[in-house]
Amino acid sequence: MNYDQVFDSAIDRLHSEGRYRVFIDILRNKGAYPNARCFAGHNGPKPITVWCSNDYLAMGQHPKVIAAMEEALHDVGAGSGGTRNIGGNTHYHVDLEHELADLHGKQGALLFTSGYVSNDATLSTLAKILPGCVIFSDELNHASMIAGIRNSGADKKVFRHNDLEHLEQLLAETDIALPKLIAFESVYSMEGDVAPIHAICDLAEKYNALTYIDEVHAVGMYGPRGGGITDRDEAAHRIDIIEGTLGKAFGVMGGYIAADNRIIDVIRSYAPGFIFTTSLSPVLVAGVLASVRHLKASSVEREAQQAAATRLKELFREAGLPVMDSTTHIVPLMVGDPVRAKKVSDILLAEYGVYVQPINFPTVPRGTERLRFTPGPAHTEQMMQSLTRALSEIWERLELETRRAA
């Protein structure tokens, strides 16, 4: 076996398909987001504007968050010291779990090192605990949910995206005596649309299924206290397990689930992804704790972000750019080709100082490659106008397709 040849061929395939990913070398400017510096050549850092961060509300730059992390660092040091059951459980972790349980109106919560791990560990463990469990999964669920379902070994039935009729058909075809779990997201981050949560819960109650919702692109962003779409739509009490991230709107790092104490105890006791990994640094947990508490009390950031997203969609539509129909804070611009999506991204960075990454397969289906903009509270009208002019010029230069249905 020529190992080098196999590895080279795998990378060559990505290059030939236009899907080879390049990570841009940048540093954000503390307190001045979305301004950053890009290290793209030999002439030193170049100033850029970041348009694709998942730090949606710029909470990673918030003075309360930074101060809390600095205080924790000087109080307890850098690392956690191990897994939660071997030295890695701190009062910061306990406090944050209480805050997250309260955020979602649940009895308990459980921290993980990332949103990916929380999905993978929880879904795979749940289905193994429930004998003969059948999982019903939206076709656009995140890769971490798909991984968790696959790792569970459970029978899986995939329903068409947000298609209630198809979901009910699959539920009706399944033995009523078998345990069932419906897994879906609230905000789908590449489409920018929202799940019909109450209608899915109606089906879950009708067919005696548990519900699992991924709120990673919604926590902090929606609802009077930032509890997500389930908070906004007053549906949290109908969901059995709410999963979220601490690395997007909350601006730091980590993932979690919130549920009743029985489910939390089962996952805490059985999930390898929780048991056998070093816990989050208390410095990170302290930062998240400050962020969650702030966003429970403040809607200023949410309102400013929603206003920016609405305005950018308006500008794109007025310019004839192919902005996809999104009802959320996500502003996706359809390109439909991986090579051209990368080309637009490269020109924006090199000529206009605009940083937005192309989104390709397997993150989105082939032929739906796009640019995904996430305007935040600090993106100004001038920035949005300049971005729209730059995109219009590039679209014309590359003879790309203009406004069309999503």
Side-chain angles (χ1 to χ4, degrees), residues 307-325 331-333 381 384-389 391-393 395 402-404:
T310 298
R311 178 59 178 152
L312 189 62
K313 293 173 193 176
E314 290 174 353
L315 289 172
F316 282 0
R317 289 192 186 98
E318 290 169 1
L321 293 166
V323 59
M324 298 171 63
D325 293 327
V331 185
L333 200 60
E381 174 71 16
M384 290 189 275
Q385 294 273 5
S386 297
L387 172 64
T388 304
R389 286 194 295 270
L391 286 165
S392 296
E393 186 279 321
W395 240 252
T402 53
R403 176 69 178 156
R404 66 179 184 182

Side-chain angles (χ1 to χ4, degrees), residues 19-201:
R19 295 197 295 118
Y20 183 75
R21 301 183 183 211
V22 177
F23 301 148
I24 307 301
D25 184 358
I26 69 170
L27 287 173
R28 294 194 289 177
N29 299 334
K30 176 178 171 289
Y33 180 80
N35 296 313
R37 295 152 283 164
C38 176
F39 296 81
H42 301 289
N43 298 320
K46 169 187 175 180
I48 61 170
T49 304
V50 177
W51 281 98
C52 56
S53 174
N54 284 340
D55 186 1
Y56 296 129
L57 303 180
M59 289 304 295
Q61 303 287 315
H62 198 282
K64 288 183 182 178
V65 174
I66 293 171
M69 295 179 74
E70 289 176 339
E71 181 181 349
L73 177 64
H74 294 292
D75 182 27
V76 300
S80 70
T83 63
R84 289 287 291 276
N85 65 313
I86 306 179
N89 191 64
T90 75
H91 190 62
Y92 289 104
H93 294 79
V94 174
D95 267 358
L96 180 54
E97 287 175 341
H98 285 319
E99 288 286 349
L100 292 169
D102 172 75
L103 177 65
H104 296 292
K106 299 298 184 185
Q107 291 178 340
L110 191 66
L111 287 175
F112 294 85
T113 51
S114 73
Y116 189 105
V117 174
S118 56
N119 269 331
D120 186 1
T122 304
L123 286 167
S124 61
T125 301
L126 270 178
K128 288 175 182 176
I129 292 293
L130 296 168
C133 181
V134 180
I135 300 180
F136 300 82
S137 175
D138 188 289
E139 67 177 340
L140 294 187
N141 276 344
H142 189 265
S144 58
M145 300 176 76
I146 295 170
I149 294 167
R150 181 184 300 116
N151 291 337
S152 74
D155 186 16
K156 175 184 69 173
K157 297 190 177 185
V158 178
F159 60 94
R160 291 185 292 271
H161 179 52
N162 281 347
D163 189 329
L164 296 170
E165 290 185 4
H166 190 214
L167 173 57
E168 180 160 24
Q169 175 189 332
L170 295 176
L171 286 164
E173 292 172 353
T174 304
D175 185 348
I176 191 67
L178 290 175
K180 304 171 189 64
L181 176 67
I182 304 174
F184 62 106
E185 300 184 36
S186 59
V187 172
Y188 289 84
S189 64
M190 294 302 149
E191 310 298 314
D193 59 353
V194 175
I197 298 175
H198 279 292
I200 290 176
C201 289

Side-chain angles (χ1 to χ4, degrees), residues 83-405:
T83 63
R84 289 287 291 276
N85 65 313
I86 306 179
N89 191 64
T90 75
H91 190 62
Y92 289 104
H93 294 79
V94 174
D95 267 358
L96 180 54
E97 287 175 341
H98 285 319
E99 288 286 349
L100 292 169
D102 172 75
L103 177 65
H104 296 292
K106 299 298 184 185
Q107 291 178 340
L110 191 66
L111 287 175
F112 294 85
T113 51
S114 73
Y116 189 105
V117 174
S118 56
N119 269 331
D120 186 1
T122 304
L123 286 167
S124 61
T125 301
L126 270 178
K128 288 175 182 176
I129 292 293
L130 296 168
C133 181
V134 180
I135 300 180
F136 300 82
S137 175
D138 188 289
E139 67 177 340
L140 294 187
N141 276 344
H142 189 265
S144 58
M145 300 176 76
I146 295 170
I149 294 167
R150 181 184 300 116
N151 291 337
S152 74
D155 186 16
K156 175 184 69 173
K157 297 190 177 185
V158 178
F159 60 94
R160 291 185 292 271
H161 179 52
N162 281 347
D163 189 329
L164 296 170
E165 290 185 4
H166 190 214
L167 173 57
E168 180 160 24
Q169 175 189 332
L170 295 176
L171 286 164
E173 292 172 353
T174 304
D175 185 348
I176 191 67
L178 290 175
K180 304 171 189 64
L181 176 67
I182 304 174
F184 62 106
E185 300 184 36
S186 59
V187 172
Y188 289 84
S189 64
M190 294 302 149
E191 310 298 314
D193 59 353
V194 175
I197 298 175
H198 279 292
I200 290 176
C201 289
D202 289 342
L203 290 176
E205 292 171 4
K206 180 178 178 180
Y207 292 95
N208 192 28
L210 294 174
T211 47
Y212 181 103
I213 191 168
D214 179 322
E215 284 259 46
V216 296
H217 290 277
V219 289
M221 303 293 294
Y222 299 91
R225 298 198 308 156
I229 300 295
T230 51
D231 183 16
R232 185 196 72 179
D233 294 354
E234 299 181 348
H237 65 285
R238 304 188 68 189
I239 298 289
D240 294 295
I241 303 160
I242 297 174
E243 185 268 347
T245 184
L246 307 171
K248 293 183 171 61
F250 292 128
V252 189
M253 182 181 176
Y256 67 92
I257 59 168
D260 68 33
N261 284 333
R262 183 180 293 104
I263 291 175
I264 294 297
D265 200 22
V266 165
I267 302 304
R268 182 188 69 85
S269 302
Y270 281 91
F274 173 81
I275 297 170
F276 297 109
T277 190
T278 299
S279 66
L280 285 170
S281 162
V283 177
L284 297 173
V285 178
V288 176
L289 194 55
S291 183
V292 171
R293 286 171 173 167
H294 176 81
L295 290 175
K296 279 183 177 180
S298 172
S299 292
V300 172
E301 294 81 7
R302 286 189 281 277
E303 292 168 0
Q305 196 284 329
Q306 289 291 335
T310 298
R311 178 59 178 152
L312 189 62
K313 293 173 193 176
E314 290 174 353
L315 289 172
F316 282 0
R317 289 192 186 98
E318 290 169 1
L321 293 166
V323 59
M324 298 171 63
D325 293 327
S326 163
T327 59
T328 64
H329 58 283
I330 308 295
V331 185
L333 200 60
M334 179 61 70
V335 180
D337 177 84
V339 175
R340 290 188 168 192
K342 179 67 165 57
K343 183 67 173 177
V344 175
S345 173
D346 289 346
I347 294 174
L348 282 170
L349 185 65
E351 299 183 21
Y352 293 95
V354 167
Y355 173 45
V356 60
Q357 283 282 49
I359 306 296
N360 298 326
F361 178 84
T363 307
V364 296
R366 298 178 192 273
T368 68
E369 292 80 9
R370 66 201 66 175
L371 302 177
R372 176 183 175 272
F373 296 88
T374 54
H379 285 94
T380 65
E381 174 71 16
Q382 182 179 356
M383 288 176 178
M384 290 189 275
Q385 294 273 5
S386 297
L387 172 64
T388 304
R389 286 194 295 270
L391 286 165
S392 296
E393 186 279 321
I394 296 169
W395 240 252
E396 183 177 352
R397 187 197 311 184
L398 299 181
E399 299 180 341
L400 297 175
E401 187 173 347
T402 53
R403 176 69 178 156
R404 66 179 184 182

